[in-house]
Amino acid sequence: MGKKREFIYLYLIQFVIGLIWLKSAYAKFAGVAFSANLSKTLTLFASKNPFPWYAAFLQNWAIPNAGLFAELTRWGELVAAVLLLVTAVSAMRNIRLPHFHRLATLGALIGAFLNLQFGLAAGWTSPSTETLNLLMLLIQILFIFYQRSVAMKK
């Protein structure tokens, strides 16, 4: 299998991760339930969180500022989605954007940060939540290393 084809598969995976973020962001922008219920959700996540330091963060920072965290979350998801999708599509179509690797890295960094937060907050609620967030986190970390290594070769 040629290098070009392997890269296409990598960018296809990046595209799928971008679609996952876009779907998640859309749900948060389309309805008011996310912002209205975030405080209650975070209280549940803090109640049995296995990480005492993260439970304290949720109780002392996130819950009192739930409105701000709701906005940061949905905009973060949207920005991660757009950056991952645009850079994946442009790479698959051989269109080089200015600062391509920086944009792809930024999208993956934002996504990885969000997955880390979701995993720490809600990973204990079910094996599927833990697994999905861990898998997305690891894939996005691989994207970051790949983009950095390609950018350093130039």
Side-chain angles (χ1 to χ4, degrees):
M1 185 179 300
K3 279 191 170 192
K4 187 168 181 141
R5 188 169 224 35
E6 291 170 3
F7 295 142
I8 288 174
Y9 290 138
L10 180 68
Y11 289 119
L12 185 60
I13 293 169
Q14 179 180 324
F15 183 79
V16 170
I17 297 291
L19 286 177
I20 292 169
W21 282 124
L22 186 63
K23 180 180 181 228
S24 182
Y26 175 77
K28 289 173 178 66
F29 278 103
V32 294
F34 173 71
S35 295
N37 295 329
L38 185 60
S39 181
K40 193 184 313 181
T41 302
L42 293 176
T43 301
L44 170 69
F45 291 161
S47 69
K48 296 179 184 173
N49 196 295
F51 307 108
W53 59 272
Y54 200 80
F57 166 74
L58 291 173
Q59 292 166 342
N60 297 325
W61 290 94
I63 295 168
N65 299 297
L68 173 63
F69 277 81
E71 291 303 311
L72 290 173
T73 299
R74 67 180 170 180
W75 282 102
E77 289 180 357
L78 182 62
V79 169
V82 169
L83 290 174
L84 290 171
L85 289 169
V86 167
T87 56
V89 169
S90 68
M92 288 187 286
R93 298 183 58 75
N94 289 324
I95 301 168
R96 286 292 167 204
L97 302 171
H99 307 292
F100 172 83
H101 296 293
R102 289 181 181 168
L103 295 173
T105 300
L106 181 60
L109 277 170
I110 293 169
F113 178 78
L114 288 168
N115 279 120
L116 179 63
Q117 299 311 308
F118 298 154
L120 289 170
W124 61 270
T125 60
S126 75
S128 60
T129 301
E130 179 182 36
T131 304
L132 178 63
N133 281 293
L134 184 58
L135 183 61
M136 286 179 67
L137 173 66
L138 292 175
I139 290 170
Q140 289 166 124
I141 288 171
L142 289 175
F143 291 158
I144 293 165
F145 283 120
Y146 170 73
Q147 291 299 337
R148 296 313 323 148
S149 70
V150 171
M152 292 177 120
K153 289 179 184 177
K154 293 187 177 197

